Amino acid sequence: MNIGDVARQSGLPAKTIRYYEDIDLIKPLRDSNGYRAFRESDLHKLTFLGRARSLGFSIAECRALMALYEDQERASADVKKIARQHLNRIDEKLAELKAMRATLSDLIEACAGDHRPDCPILKGLAGGKIQAK
Amino acid sequence: MNIGDVARQSGLPAKTIRYYEDIDLIKPLRDSNGYRAFRESDLHKLTFLGRARSLGFSIAECRALMALYEDQERASADVKKIARQHLNRIDEKLAELKAMRATLSDLIEACAGDHRPDCPILKGLAGGKIQAK
DNA sequence: TCTTGACCTTCCAGTAACCGGAACGCCCAT
DNA sequence: ATGGGCGTTCCGGTTACTGGAAGGTCAAGA
């Protein structure tokens, strides 16, 4: 398989696949013409990587997950630990975004949004308190 | 005021303040010794920037907000528009994170997390379905 | 056979928003 | 004068790619 084939099948851009080779996440063979020659196992790994990335795992975590994926002797506890840590970070990020959202939507609420220059959003950002409408 | 003073008062790292000058968000004066000389207005702008950034506005948006902040003739509608766009992006990000969280927590649920190699998390990432416990 | 177009290759640069550190200058107090 | 705590610039690194240039390869059609 050439890179275009695995790109289509894995859903990853060719650029990304080359990058993953660059950072040693995959090690495809090479044809005599210099083209990358992907095995089924490479495609499986790329699919795995794509899914892990889409769940927000970092490249470093993907590397660790891949190692466990390849290790038939792994303990599922090790995988679960990584996943739990990631879940915690997702929860933190969610809390942060919710707080942002709340503040921002209060500011927006309070702003008339018309031709006049008076603007509670700018006041809020400048340090003032949010005024009730 | 020197950079340390405004850093303390604005809550921004000195590095960040230098960076903001670099990208022309602020234009502090200079003392004869080469030190940056910050006016009150610079401090206000930095505070404004710090708050806007903490609400997740991008630098580009901050630049636009700053321009409106400085423009006494602005229409609050222009500010509100930027804020609403940002709110939409926050909502999209929230939806995405919630979806990630749901999938990931299902996988974690299904995983025994013990010494055995069998792992629904790895299976899920490899493309398999998530098994019920 | 030549050419066209779709592939593929490498390498370089840029993205966002900074952070860390080196190497150096300035200022004030002891 | 010397030490510590400021300040300065500049360079490189971070994350995970993406875009583009310049060029090689391959198969099909005229």
Side-chain angles (χ1 to χ4, degrees):
Chain A
M1 281 181 290
N2 280 348
I3 201 168
D5 304 320
V6 283
R8 268 180 296 276
Q9 292 183 60
S10 68
L12 294 171
K15 277 276 188 188
T16 299
I17 296 172
R18 290 194 193 99
Y19 173 68
Y20 286 171
E21 183 190 14
D22 230 53
I23 61 173
D24 292 315
L25 278 177
I26 51 166
K27 302 190 200 305
L29 304 175
R30 292 289 178 145
D31 280 344
S32 52
N33 57 11
Y35 286 19
R36 287 168 184 82
F38 295 86
R39 291 152 291 188
E40 281 298 323
S41 63
D42 294 318
L43 178 54
H44 292 329
K45 288 185 197 173
L46 287 170
T47 304
F48 182 95
L49 287 169
R51 286 175 192 249
R53 292 287 301 125
S54 82
L55 283 180
F57 286 101
S58 71
I59 291 289
E61 286 165 331
C62 287
R63 207 183 289 280
L65 289 172
M66 279 282 290
L68 292 169
Y69 175 65
E70 307 235 73
D71 174 11
Q72 299 303 323
E73 310 293 308
R74 76 203 157 225
S76 65
D78 293 338
V79 181
K80 194 166 181 173
K81 186 177 173 193
I82 295 174
R84 271 231 197 77
Q85 286 170 356
H86 181 44
L87 186 61
N88 285 340
R89 276 205 317 287
I90 288 179
D91 285 340
E92 284 168 24
K93 192 73 194 165
L94 274 171
E96 196 183 330
L97 274 178
K98 282 178 186 168
M100 277 185 193
R101 206 218 111 91
T103 304
L104 187 57
S105 95
D106 283 354
L107 289 171
I108 290 173
E109 270 298 298
C111 176
D114 56 20
H115 61 93
R116 289 170 302 171
D118 178 61
C119 180
I121 299 173
L122 292 178
K123 280 184 189 155
L125 291 172
K129 296 212 180 78
I130 304 165
Q131 328 282 325
K133 234 198 295 198
Chain B
M1 282 182 289
N2 281 347
I3 201 166
D5 304 320
V6 283
R8 269 180 295 278
Q9 293 184 58
S10 67
L12 294 171
K15 277 275 188 189
T16 298
I17 296 173
R18 291 196 191 97
Y19 172 68
Y20 286 172
E21 183 191 13
D22 230 53
I23 60 172
D24 292 314
L25 278 176
I26 51 165
K27 303 188 200 305
L29 304 174
R30 292 289 178 146
D31 280 344
S32 51
N33 57 10
Y35 286 20
R36 288 168 184 81
F38 295 86
R39 291 151 291 188
E40 283 297 324
S41 63
D42 294 317
L43 178 53
H44 292 329
K45 288 183 197 175
L46 287 170
T47 304
F48 182 94
L49 287 169
R51 287 176 189 249
R53 291 287 301 127
S54 81
L55 283 180
F57 285 101
S58 71
I59 292 288
E61 286 166 331
C62 287
R63 207 182 289 279
L65 289 172
M66 280 283 290
L68 291 168
Y69 176 65
E70 307 235 73
D71 175 10
Q72 299 303 323
E73 310 293 311
R74 76 201 157 228
S76 65
D78 293 339
V79 181
K80 194 166 182 173
K81 186 177 172 192
I82 295 173
R84 271 232 197 76
Q85 285 170 356
H86 182 44
L87 185 62
N88 285 339
R89 274 204 317 287
I90 288 178
D91 284 340
E92 284 168 22
K93 192 75 193 162
L94 275 171
E96 196 184 331
L97 275 177
K98 282 177 185 168
M100 278 184 192
R101 207 218 111 91
T103 303
L104 186 57
S105 95
D106 283 354
L107 288 171
I108 291 173
E109 271 298 297
C111 176
D114 55 21
H115 61 93
R116 289 170 301 171
D118 178 60
C119 180
I121 299 174
L122 293 179
K123 281 185 190 154
L125 290 173
K129 297 214 180 76
I130 303 165
Q131 326 284 325
K133 230 196 302 195

